[in-house]
Every structure is written in structure tokens, then in C-alpha cells.
């Protein structure tokens, strides 16, 4: 086997592995000052790894695929390639996945560890608007910079699987998946099914369109006139766009929506089988917001208004109603006297984001409409207000306000002097049912119903009794009143979700065009054979100043036919990131979004099987297979997914939704995408603040690599503390691990007075003594276990212990040090491969014959770790003169004989006889002369 080794200059040598020769240019003064020559060998090994395709991962069907090995799919949340490049916070998660990926490869796994780019998005488009440069050119330049930075850190990525969401070969399949959503609906069992089933039932076009998973709706959205696009709630901060800080207003617009709400319950229930942090699962559950309660009908004139409440037992405490300012009923019911105030309030609310409107800490605002509703349980009139804390996107856009038992309603009622009527009391604070104290704050807990008159209007229960709420605990009162509401046709028990359907349109140029055309006011999809649908080449990317997207400027592109025009919106950046992990499994496949065998293997570990059984999907959607049927043992396919908590909800929720649709339709083998999730903590600046250009505390990893090397940066980021914790950056900490790596280097190498490095004369072909063997096997065991637990900092600590032990040995056992280098290799791969090659030049039979990433992880011997010796101190007249290790089982007599026979002890006894010998077994011998 041959490899080309390249140093910084043009000096190179074609060497035969493992008998390597190394050419060196004269060392600069800067290189001489370095504790070890990392700047020479780190780029060299990166070139070797790339030339040899050391981390290429074969797929089922490839000639070199080994089906006997288990699979391990380790995934990083792929980055957005900004012009600023990486800072030292980015490689933290990447280093963690690289270590465990390398470890798993050495442990006998087929490891899939890929990298790619989430490259569509608003920043590139805004830069294009400012500079006139096409966003594709900007994106490609940024990707090149990011890729170079990652390669300089020595990550073991299979670059043949690199994906880029802006590559037509990639977004062709993003568009294809959208068509699957467009042509699917959810059946009564909550499963995605082909629209063809509804067509076969004879449903009308309108009925079918109303059930599509991808549908068109007029929805109130965050419109930014300056950016010329709709923004997601997360892209709006304090009523302004996150990018640019431009004013944002709320306005209804025609948008593409994805019916994620149809999967709300599954998205909650199927979290249970995943190895995720409970905090992240809780965030997802809260975002989905499942709540049980009732829909209740209030009369407003001749109109019925439905509200959803989780506490129907508090209906007698409803003293007013609140509608969302944009509720369609508001213009109809507002009295002439209140019209001006209502319209002014509606205008003031239009620019607020959902987050601003629902913020609990903000001061409550609202306006009375002049209209009244009828409370169905007591026929009392209650005033109807509008307020920004109620929104059309949540529930029905209307609430019954029970100020005694809801914090927001309580604050609102206090501000506008509205009645507060308590109908639930704490059984703990008022067990005797005495006088009810005036509330100083809302009582929102469960308790005992009070002040709720008996309802006897034909309630049918098993005893034909009237509906009695008073003195009932909350759960029973909720059940009773819900039965009564259903009996009277005034309401219905129901489950509601806070989750809203996914607004999927953007009025941008730099995004995936929708594969949709419009004709005679109706939408339809283009044939799959026309994918990818490329965006037109535009010289002017600026917003039109109206809701018309920039694509409207490409008049020839817009005209699909004489009678049809293309959809002008583009997909959001989330689209490409919803499924990229699947493309990694088979990134070069031009016939499918992912090959069946590749998807099945990397997501389930099975090299044989049929998706029809694994997924429960329709046979009609699958290619025929004569392979053995197998079932995935776990719900998630990716074995380890590492990324920041900023994606804890939306990205993960959206990816899970798309995956479940593909699973139901039979295109993937697992019901969930990610089995194990780990969120790395932020790396803060040295000032303890979040790194940002404005604070001037950003650390460029290129600078750290130039001064201390890639291995030192990798090692320090893992040594800072537990992966999940927030940690401050420290250049002194980098220097500390750099010195540790220098000690490892000097186990093998020594430097001449001229500054030349050569293999140390202390490195010898000798066996390790018992103590070195013990610490080596302890290191193998602990580091393997710690890597599995992602406890990298403690693994590094153990390697430091081991290095210190070897450093203290007069003769350095070469074979044992090679074993240690295998353990070090996932953490500091450049140094480990370099030292292994150096050892090979002197002891070919002792070194590993190749790259250490291809070596087998060492096995530890439990017997070697048993402590059967102890160090005993020999003293003469109470002064330390010698130390020896003796068997733990040695008798006092044997230890005394060893002490008296010690040359050092004999020297200080000066030929005098021992007056007394004191032996403390396992500790010391004191010879008194």
C-alpha cells in the first residue's frame, strides 16, 4: 500500500507503509519554539486520510461492505454556512461525535458520520440584495470556507456523502417529499394515506383539498415589508425582524400550510420510546400543548360563538368574553360608539408577534366592543372585549374569561374593573367551608366547586339526578358539567392542542420553489419527471414592496403554459433540514431520495427486510423484494444526534412530522428519525458572555489551531467539562492540554540540540512492568466506558494519569505505548497516527501496520487491574532511604528481610547492627541503629 505524504513545502516522499521516511525542511525559529511539531504532521495526516479515503463508509451492495458488522449512525446538526465561518463553539459537538464515531469504528461497527450544509435562507438573500452577488455564489464560497475549517480539525467525515440543501440534486427530493405531502391525507386511524383513496371514494375536489396534508389557507402572518417576506414567529423579536430589525406587521395572506396538527397526539405519544433528555421531551410536549376540556357555545345575538376551555367546571365564574382582535365576528358585533376605539386597537396589535402577545409579564390591554354574550349555564349577559392575548391561531380565537381562576383574566379584570367571581376554593386552605376570603391573586389549582347553582334541565345520568356541582372536587365537576353541556347541545367534551399547522410559505427568492402550478383558480402538482424545479436566474433579488414574491419578476419562468402559472412562494429553510439525515444514507442516488437497502441498513441495522412489514406502509408504494422480513428493534434510526438546544422544538418537531408521513406511506423503515439526542452546552467567551462580534469575544478556531494545533483544540473542548454543560473558554486551558500532548510526544520522541526530532533511545522493545500494565488496562477500560457515556473529560483525565506513569519509567515499553496511542487516537488522531508511524520506523513489528482509525480498540484484562502489590517505605532512624513494591500478601518477616537487604538501607546503616526493626505491613519499615 502506498501513500503520499505532503509537508508545507514541496518536499514529499512516496513511502511504503509502515516503513516511512520523512523529509523535513529546515525548522523556523517559530517551529523550534513549539513543544512538538504539530504544524508539520497535522496537515500531512489530513492529506493522507483524504488521499486514502480513510473514512469512506460503504453501503449495502458495495463490494467492500461488511454485512457482519453492526451499524452506528452518528449525526451532527448540520450548520448554516455563514460568511463569518466557525467559532470555537461550533466544533464542540462535532468533536464529540468524531470521538465516538472513531471509537465505534475501532470497536467493529460500520460507522456513518457525515456532514453537509443547511444553505438556503434569508441571510444569503439579504447579502445578495446588498451586494448584487447571486446568493448561490455567496453560499458556495461560505461552504468552501466551512469545509476547509472542518478538515483542518481532522474530523472523520465521509465527504463523499456531503449534502447541500441548495444543490438541485438534493432539493429535487425535497420537492418530491412535498408532493408526497400534497398527495396525502390522514385517515381516521391517524395515519397518512394516499389522496388516491379519497378520489376512489368519489369525494369532490373541494373535499379532497380540505384534507390534504399540504394545503392552501388564508392565515394571519408576520409580514415584513422591508424584507418583503413572511417571517416565522421565531424570526420576530419585539415586533421587528430578527434579521435587520425592520418593523413587522400582522396581515392575512394566502399561504401553503402543512397539517402537522393531524399528528399532534402521535408526536406526544411516540416521544416515550426515544432516548432524549427529559427537558427536551417536555419542551416538545408543551409546544404541542395537549389539553382536555370542552367546547362551549355562547350566544351572541343570532350567532353562536364557540370557546374551548380546560375548566368547564368554572362556567359560573365566567364574567366576560374576549375575542382575538382579528376575529371575523368583531366588525359585526362592535357598536358604533366603540368602533373607533376597536379599529385603533386592531391596528396597534397588527405589528405584534405571537410571543409578544402571549407574554405573561406584559401589561394587559384591550377594548370593549359594546356587545354582550349569553353565558349558557345561567343566561347572564357578559361583556365582549377584544385583547391581544387571545389569538385566532390558538383554539377558536375566543375565550370565556374566568378572572378568579386564570392569571391573565385576573390581571385584565383588575385593570378594567370587571367582576371577579370565585367558583372554586382550595380544600386545603378552607377545609371547613367558612367565609370565602377576597382573592388577592387568581386561584388556578384544582379544588372544590362553590357558588355553582344546581342544573336540572333534563340531565340524563344513571340516577336521573340534576347536575350538582357544588362541593364536588374539580375532576368530578368537570365530568358532570361536560355531560350536561352535551345533553343540552351547548357543548362537547374535546381534546385540544396548542400546536398550529406549519406555515410553509416564504416570499423569498433563495429557497426551494414549490412544484405547484395554478390554473383556473385551482392548484395542482407538476409531474415528478419535471423535478428538480430550478429557481429562475434573477439579477434583482429585492422585494417587490408588495406581498408579490420576487419570483414574480421572472415572467417567462412564471408562465407554465398558456393557461397555468407557477406558485411564486418558496419553501422555508426548515424544508431541507427536515430530511437531510436520510439523504446521508445514500447521497449519490439519482433514482430515489434514498435507496431502500441503504435506508433500511442505516436506520434499522438490517441488511434484509421489506419496508411493507417494518413500516406498515402500503405495498403499492414499495418496490418488490424477495428478502427476509425483519422489524426494526427501536423507533429511531439515527443512533446518536448531537446539536444545540436552539433546535429543541421546531427542527426536531418538523423532522419527526415529515418522517412519520414517509413512514406511513412506506418509504422509511422506522417511525422516528432520531433515537438518542444529546444537546451540547454553549461555550462562552472568556468574559463569561455568549460569543458575538459585538462583544469582541469570538475566538476563531483557525487561530487556536495555528498556535496549538488541531489535536489541542479538540482535546481542550472535550476537557472543559461535561458535554451538556455551559462552559467558559480559556486560552490557559488550551495551553494545559497542549502541554499534555507534548508529554505524550516525548514518550516516543527526543530532540537534539539542533532541534531535530528522532525516536527516543528510551523507547525500547521491553514488556511493561506490572504497574504500567495495570494503569494501561485501567485506561483502556475507563476510556471505553467514558466514551460510551460521552464523559470525555474524565477519559482525558485518565489518559493523563497513564501518560504520567509512562513518563516515570526509565525504559519506555514500545508495544504498551502503541496500545495507549490507540486509546488516544479518537481524541488526538493526528498525534496518534504520527507517533505510531514513528514507532514503526524503529520497531515495525510493534507498531500498528496502518492508520490507527483502522485498528481494533484494545481489550482490557480484568486480572491485570487487580492490585496485588503495595509500595513500602524503608527508613533508617526515621528518615526515608528507599521505596520498594512488595506483594500485598508478604509477611512481616519477608518485608523486614527485604528492608535489611536493601542496598540503600545498608548504606545508611554504615555497617552497624540494627537495634530494632519496626514493620508496619503495607506501609513502612523503620530500621533503628
Amino acid at each position: 500500500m502506498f501513500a503520499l505524504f505532503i509537508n508545507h513545502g514541496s518536499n514529499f516522499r512516496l513511502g511504503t507503509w509502515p516503513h516511512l521516511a520523512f523529509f523535513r525542511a529546515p525548522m523556523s525559529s517559530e517551529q523550534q519554539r513549539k513543544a512538538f511539531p504539530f504544524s508539520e504532521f497535522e496537515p500531512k495526516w489530513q492529506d493522507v486520510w483524504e488521499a486514502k479515503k480513510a473514512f469512506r463508509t460503504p453501503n449495502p451492495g458495495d463490494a467492500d461492505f461488511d454485512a457482519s458488522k453492526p451499524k452506528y449512525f452518528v449525526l451532527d446538526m448540520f450548520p448554516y454556512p455563514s460568511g463569518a465561518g466557525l467559532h470555537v463553539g461550533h466544533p464542540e459537538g462535532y468533536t464529540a461525535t468524531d470521538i465516538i464515531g472513531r471509537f465505534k469504528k475501532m470497536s467493529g461497527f460500520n460507522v456513518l458520520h457525515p456532514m453537509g450544509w443547511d444553505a438556503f435562507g434569508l441571510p444569503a438573500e439579504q447579502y445578495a440584495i446588498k451586494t448584487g452577488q447571486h446568493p448561490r455564489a455567496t453560499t458556495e464560497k461560505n461552504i468552501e470556507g466551512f469545509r476547509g475549517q472542518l478538515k483542518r480539525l481532522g474530523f472523520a467525515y465521509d465527504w463523499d456523502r456531503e449534502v447541500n440543501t441548495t444543490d438541485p440534486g438534493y432539493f429535487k427530493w425535497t420537492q418530491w417529499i412535498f408532493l408526497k405531502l400534497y398527495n396525502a391525507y390522514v385517515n381516521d386511524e391517524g395515519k397518512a394515506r394516499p389522496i388516491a383513496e379519497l378520489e376512489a371514494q368519489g369525494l369532490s375536489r373541494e373535499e379532497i383539498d380540505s384534507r390534504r396534508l399540504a394545503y392552501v389557507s388564508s392565515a394571519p402572518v408576520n409580514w415584513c415589508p422591508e424584507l418583503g417576506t413572511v417571517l416565522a414567529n421565531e424570526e420576530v423579536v419585539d415586533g421587528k425582524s430578527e434579521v435587520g430589525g425592520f418593523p413587522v406587521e400582522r396581515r392575512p395572506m394566502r399561504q401553503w400550510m402543512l397539517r402537522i396538527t393531524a399528528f399532534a397526539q402521535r408526536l406526544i405519544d411516540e416521544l416515550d420510546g426515544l432516548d432524549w433528555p427529559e427537558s427536551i421531551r417536555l419542551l416538545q410536549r408543551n409546544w404541542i400543548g395537549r389539553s382536555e376540556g370542552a367546547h362551549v357555545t355562547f350566544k351572541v345575538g343570532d350567532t353562536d360563538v364557540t370557546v374551548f376551555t380546560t375548566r368547564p367546571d368554572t362556567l359560573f365564574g365566567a364574567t366576560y368574553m374576549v375575542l382575538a382582535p382579528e376575529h371575523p365576528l368583531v366588525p359585526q358585533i362592535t357598536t358604533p360608539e366603540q368602533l373607533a376605539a376597536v379599529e385603533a386597537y386592531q391596528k396597534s396589535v397588527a405589528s405584534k408577534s405571537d410571543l409578544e402577545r402571549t407574554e405573561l409579564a406584559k401589561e394587559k390591554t384591550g377594548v370593549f366592543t359594546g356587545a354582550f354574550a349569553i353565558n349558557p349555564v345561567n343566561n347572564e349577559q357578559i361583556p365582549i372585549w377584544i385583547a391581544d392575548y387571545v389569538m385566532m391561531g390558538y383554539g377558536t380565537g375566543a375565550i370565556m374569561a374566568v378572572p378568579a381562576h386564570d392569571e391573565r383574566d385576573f390581571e385584565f379584570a383588575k385593570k378594567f374593573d370587571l367582576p371577579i367571581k370565585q367558583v372554586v376554593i382550595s380544600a386545603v386552605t378552607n377545609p371547613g367551608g367558612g367565609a370565602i376570603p377576597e382573592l388577592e391573586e387568581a386561584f388556578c389549582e384544582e379544588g372544590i366547586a362553590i357558588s355553582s347553582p344546581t342544573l336540572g334541565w333534563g340531565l340524563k345520568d344513571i340516577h336521573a339526578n340534576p347536575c350538582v356541582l357544588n362541593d364536588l372536587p374539580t375532576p368530578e365537576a368537570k365530568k358532570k358539567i361536560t355531560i350536561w353541556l352535551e345533553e343540552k347541545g351547548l357543548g362537547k367534551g374535546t381534546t385540544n392542542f396548542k400546536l398550529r399547522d406549519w406555515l410553509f410559505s416564504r416570499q423569498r427568492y433563495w429557497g426551494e420553489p414549490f412544484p405547484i402550478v395554478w390554473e383556473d383558480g385551482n392548484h395542482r402538482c407538476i409531474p415528478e419527471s419535471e423535478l428538480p424545479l430550478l429557481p429562475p436566474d434573477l439579477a434583482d433579488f429585492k422585494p417587490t414592496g408588495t406581498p408579490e414574491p420576487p419570483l414574480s419578476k421572472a415572467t417567462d419562468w412564471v408562465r407554465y403554459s398558456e393557461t397555468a402559472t407557477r406558485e411564486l412562494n418558496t419553501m422555508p429553510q426548515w424544508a431541507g433540514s427536515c430530511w437531510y439525515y436520510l439523504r446521508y444514507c445514500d447521497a449519490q442516488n439519482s433514482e430515489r431520495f434514498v435507496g431502500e437497502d441503504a435506508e433500511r441498513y442505516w436506520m434499522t441495522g438490517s441488511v434484509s427486510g421489506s419496508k411493507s412489514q417494518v413500516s406498515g406502509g402500503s405495498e403499492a408504494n414499495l418496490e418488490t423484494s424477495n428478502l427476509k422480513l425483519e422489524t426494526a428493534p427501536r423507533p429511531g434510526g439515527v443512533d446518536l444526534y448531537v446539536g444545540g438546544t436552539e433546535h429543541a422544538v421546531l427542527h426536531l418537531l418538523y423532522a419527526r412530522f415529515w418522517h412519520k408521513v414517509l413512514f406511513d406511506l412506506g418509504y422509511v423503515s422506522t417511525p422516528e428519525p432520531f433515537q438518542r439526542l444529546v444537546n451540547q452546552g454553549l461555550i462562552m467567551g472568556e468574559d463569561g458572555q455568549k460569543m458575538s462580534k459585538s462583544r469582541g469575544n469570538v475566538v476563531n478556531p483557525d487561530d487556536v489551531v495555528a498556535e496549538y494545533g488541531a489535536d489541542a483544540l479538540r482535546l481542550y473542548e472535550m476537557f472543559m467539562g461535561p458535554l451538556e454543560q455551559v462552559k467558559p473558554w480559556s486560552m490557559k486551558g488550551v495551553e494545559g492540554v497542549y502541554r499534555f500532548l507534548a508529554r505524550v510526544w516525548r514518550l516516543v520522541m527526543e530532540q537534539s540540540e539542533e532541534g531535530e526530532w528522532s525516536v527516543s533511545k528510551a523507547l525500547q522493545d521491553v514488556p511493561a512492568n506490572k504497574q504500567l500494565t495495570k494503569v494501561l488496562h485501567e485506561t483502556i477500560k475507563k476510556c471505553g466506558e467514558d466514551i460510551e457515556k460521552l464523559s470525555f473529560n474524565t477519559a482525558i483525565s485518565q489518559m493523563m494519569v497513564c501518560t504520567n506513569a509512562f513518563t516515570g519509567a526509565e525504559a519506555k515499553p514500545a508495544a504498551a505505548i502503541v496500545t495507549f496511542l490507540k486509546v488516544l487516537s479518537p481524541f488526538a488522531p493526528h498525534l496518534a497516527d504520527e507517533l505510531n508511524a514513528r514507532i514503526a520506523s524503529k520497531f515495525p513489528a510493534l507498531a500498528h501496520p496502518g492508520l490507527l482509525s483502522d485498528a481494533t480498540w484494545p481489550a482490557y484484562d480484568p486480572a491485570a487491574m487487580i492490585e496485588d502489590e503495595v509500595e513500602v517505605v524503608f527508613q533508617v532512624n526515621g528518615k526515608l532511604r528507599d521505596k520498594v513494591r512488595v506483594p500485598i500478601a508478604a509477611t512481616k518477616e519477608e518485608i523486614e528481610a527485604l528492608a535489611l537487604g536493601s542496598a540503600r538501607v545498608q548504606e545508611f546503616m554504615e555497617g552497624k547492627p540494627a537495634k530494632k526493626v519496626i514493620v508496619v505491613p503495607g506501609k513502612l519499615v523503620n530500621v533503628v541503629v
Side-chain angles (χ1 to χ4, degrees), residues 421-437:
K421 182 180 178 182
Q422 189 171 5
V423 293
V424 180
I425 195 165
S426 169
V428 176
T429 59
N430 193 24
I436 301 172

PDB file of all heavy atoms in Angstrom, residues 421-437:
ATOM      1  N   LYS A 421     -65.558  36.507  40.092  1.00  0.00           N
ATOM      2  CA  LYS A 421     -66.468  35.638  40.841  1.00  0.00           C
ATOM      3  C   LYS A 421     -65.788  34.286  41.079  1.00  0.00           C
ATOM      4  O   LYS A 421     -65.507  33.542  40.145  1.00  0.00           O
ATOM      5  CB  LYS A 421     -67.780  35.448  40.075  1.00  0.00           C
ATOM      6  CG  LYS A 421     -68.806  34.598  40.805  1.00  0.00           C
ATOM      7  CD  LYS A 421     -70.079  34.464  39.980  1.00  0.00           C
ATOM      8  CE  LYS A 421     -71.109  33.578  40.681  1.00  0.00           C
ATOM      9  NZ  LYS A 421     -72.335  33.401  39.870  1.00  0.00           N
ATOM     10  N   GLN A 422     -65.544  33.953  42.350  1.00  0.00           N
ATOM     11  CA  GLN A 422     -64.855  32.712  42.688  1.00  0.00           C
ATOM     12  C   GLN A 422     -65.849  31.559  42.721  1.00  0.00           C
ATOM     13  O   GLN A 422     -66.875  31.616  43.393  1.00  0.00           O
ATOM     14  CB  GLN A 422     -64.158  32.844  44.041  1.00  0.00           C
ATOM     15  CG  GLN A 422     -63.231  31.669  44.362  1.00  0.00           C
ATOM     16  CD  GLN A 422     -62.391  31.918  45.605  1.00  0.00           C
ATOM     17  OE1 GLN A 422     -62.568  32.935  46.268  1.00  0.00           O
ATOM     18  NE2 GLN A 422     -61.496  30.998  45.909  1.00  0.00           N
ATOM     19  N   VAL A 423     -65.516  30.483  41.958  1.00  0.00           N
ATOM     20  CA  VAL A 423     -66.388  29.308  41.924  1.00  0.00           C
ATOM     21  C   VAL A 423     -65.635  28.023  42.264  1.00  0.00           C
ATOM     22  O   VAL A 423     -66.200  26.937  42.196  1.00  0.00           O
ATOM     23  CB  VAL A 423     -67.076  29.179  40.549  1.00  0.00           C
ATOM     24  CG1 VAL A 423     -68.063  30.331  40.306  1.00  0.00           C
ATOM     25  CG2 VAL A 423     -66.050  29.098  39.424  1.00  0.00           C
ATOM     26  N   VAL A 424     -64.374  28.155  42.632  1.00  0.00           N
ATOM     27  CA  VAL A 424     -63.573  27.008  43.095  1.00  0.00           C
ATOM     28  C   VAL A 424     -62.773  27.492  44.295  1.00  0.00           C
ATOM     29  O   VAL A 424     -62.238  28.603  44.293  1.00  0.00           O
ATOM     30  CB  VAL A 424     -62.616  26.476  42.014  1.00  0.00           C
ATOM     31  CG1 VAL A 424     -61.818  25.285  42.541  1.00  0.00           C
ATOM     32  CG2 VAL A 424     -63.368  26.091  40.755  1.00  0.00           C
ATOM     33  N   ILE A 425     -62.689  26.663  45.320  1.00  0.00           N
ATOM     34  CA  ILE A 425     -61.936  27.025  46.515  1.00  0.00           C
ATOM     35  C   ILE A 425     -61.023  25.880  46.903  1.00  0.00           C
ATOM     36  O   ILE A 425     -61.334  24.702  46.649  1.00  0.00           O
ATOM     37  CB  ILE A 425     -62.893  27.402  47.673  1.00  0.00           C
ATOM     38  CG1 ILE A 425     -62.113  28.120  48.787  1.00  0.00           C
ATOM     39  CG2 ILE A 425     -63.619  26.181  48.202  1.00  0.00           C
ATOM     40  CD1 ILE A 425     -63.012  28.832  49.774  1.00  0.00           C
ATOM     41  N   SER A 426     -59.920  26.205  47.517  1.00  0.00           N
ATOM     42  CA  SER A 426     -58.963  25.188  47.915  1.00  0.00           C
ATOM     43  C   SER A 426     -59.493  24.387  49.089  1.00  0.00           C
ATOM     44  O   SER A 426     -59.926  24.960  50.095  1.00  0.00           O
ATOM     45  CB  SER A 426     -57.630  25.832  48.287  1.00  0.00           C
ATOM     46  OG  SER A 426     -56.783  24.894  48.898  1.00  0.00           O
ATOM     47  N   ALA A 427     -59.480  23.087  48.981  1.00  0.00           N
ATOM     48  CA  ALA A 427     -59.897  22.228  50.089  1.00  0.00           C
ATOM     49  C   ALA A 427     -58.867  22.244  51.214  1.00  0.00           C
ATOM     50  O   ALA A 427     -59.174  21.881  52.346  1.00  0.00           O
ATOM     51  CB  ALA A 427     -60.098  20.803  49.591  1.00  0.00           C
ATOM     52  N   VAL A 428     -57.633  22.692  50.909  1.00  0.00           N
ATOM     53  CA  VAL A 428     -56.565  22.717  51.909  1.00  0.00           C
ATOM     54  C   VAL A 428     -56.655  23.980  52.753  1.00  0.00           C
ATOM     55  O   VAL A 428     -56.616  23.944  53.978  1.00  0.00           O
ATOM     56  CB  VAL A 428     -55.183  22.627  51.228  1.00  0.00           C
ATOM     57  CG1 VAL A 428     -54.068  22.752  52.265  1.00  0.00           C
ATOM     58  CG2 VAL A 428     -55.058  21.310  50.463  1.00  0.00           C
ATOM     59  N   THR A 429     -56.817  25.141  52.086  1.00  0.00           N
ATOM     60  CA  THR A 429     -56.820  26.410  52.821  1.00  0.00           C
ATOM     61  C   THR A 429     -58.172  26.728  53.449  1.00  0.00           C
ATOM     62  O   THR A 429     -58.252  27.552  54.346  1.00  0.00           O
ATOM     63  CB  THR A 429     -56.435  27.559  51.872  1.00  0.00           C
ATOM     64  OG1 THR A 429     -57.384  27.603  50.786  1.00  0.00           O
ATOM     65  CG2 THR A 429     -55.039  27.359  51.313  1.00  0.00           C
ATOM     66  N   ASN A 430     -59.210  26.072  52.983  1.00  0.00           N
ATOM     67  CA  ASN A 430     -60.536  26.344  53.550  1.00  0.00           C
ATOM     68  C   ASN A 430     -61.296  25.033  53.733  1.00  0.00           C
ATOM     69  O   ASN A 430     -62.343  24.808  53.136  1.00  0.00           O
ATOM     70  CB  ASN A 430     -61.302  27.299  52.632  1.00  0.00           C
ATOM     71  CG  ASN A 430     -62.542  27.860  53.305  1.00  0.00           C
ATOM     72  OD1 ASN A 430     -62.630  27.927  54.528  1.00  0.00           O
ATOM     73  ND2 ASN A 430     -63.519  28.251  52.498  1.00  0.00           N
ATOM     74  N   PRO A 431     -60.768  24.139  54.554  1.00  0.00           N
ATOM     75  CA  PRO A 431     -61.382  22.809  54.672  1.00  0.00           C
ATOM     76  C   PRO A 431     -62.752  22.840  55.315  1.00  0.00           C
ATOM     77  O   PRO A 431     -63.580  21.978  55.065  1.00  0.00           O
ATOM     78  CB  PRO A 431     -60.369  22.037  55.539  1.00  0.00           C
ATOM     79  CG  PRO A 431     -59.664  23.099  56.326  1.00  0.00           C
ATOM     80  CD  PRO A 431     -59.593  24.286  55.436  1.00  0.00           C
ATOM     81  N   GLY A 432     -63.032  23.827  56.128  1.00  0.00           N
ATOM     82  CA  GLY A 432     -64.326  23.866  56.813  1.00  0.00           C
ATOM     83  C   GLY A 432     -65.421  24.539  56.022  1.00  0.00           C
ATOM     84  O   GLY A 432     -66.590  24.551  56.419  1.00  0.00           O
ATOM     85  N   GLY A 433     -65.037  25.115  54.859  1.00  0.00           N
ATOM     86  CA  GLY A 433     -66.046  25.763  54.037  1.00  0.00           C
ATOM     87  C   GLY A 433     -66.607  27.023  54.667  1.00  0.00           C
ATOM     88  O   GLY A 433     -67.779  27.346  54.483  1.00  0.00           O
ATOM     89  N   GLY A 434     -65.800  27.765  55.429  1.00  0.00           N
ATOM     90  CA  GLY A 434     -66.262  29.005  56.067  1.00  0.00           C
ATOM     91  C   GLY A 434     -66.336  30.155  55.080  1.00  0.00           C
ATOM     92  O   GLY A 434     -66.480  29.962  53.862  1.00  0.00           O
ATOM     93  N   ALA A 435     -66.228  31.388  55.606  1.00  0.00           N
ATOM     94  CA  ALA A 435     -66.309  32.572  54.767  1.00  0.00           C
ATOM     95  C   ALA A 435     -65.196  32.549  53.719  1.00  0.00           C
ATOM     96  O   ALA A 435     -64.061  32.187  54.004  1.00  0.00           O
ATOM     97  CB  ALA A 435     -66.196  33.818  55.630  1.00  0.00           C
ATOM     98  N   ILE A 436     -65.537  32.957  52.512  1.00  0.00           N
ATOM     99  CA  ILE A 436     -64.578  32.926  51.398  1.00  0.00           C
ATOM    100  C   ILE A 436     -63.832  34.254  51.364  1.00  0.00           C
ATOM    101  O   ILE A 436     -64.444  35.312  51.164  1.00  0.00           O
ATOM    102  CB  ILE A 436     -65.308  32.695  50.065  1.00  0.00           C
ATOM    103  CG1 ILE A 436     -66.084  31.374  50.112  1.00  0.00           C
ATOM    104  CG2 ILE A 436     -64.318  32.709  48.912  1.00  0.00           C
ATOM    105  CD1 ILE A 436     -66.979  31.154  48.920  1.00  0.00           C
ATOM    106  N   PRO A 437     -62.534  34.239  51.581  1.00  0.00           N
ATOM    107  CA  PRO A 437     -61.772  35.490  51.566  1.00  0.00           C
ATOM    108  C   PRO A 437     -61.668  36.054  50.147  1.00  0.00           C
ATOM    109  O   PRO A 437     -61.718  35.313  49.162  1.00  0.00           O
ATOM    110  CB  PRO A 437     -60.402  35.073  52.096  1.00  0.00           C
ATOM    111  CG  PRO A 437     -60.288  33.623  51.744  1.00  0.00           C
ATOM    112  CD  PRO A 437     -61.680  33.066  51.827  1.00  0.00           C
TER     113      PRO A 437
END
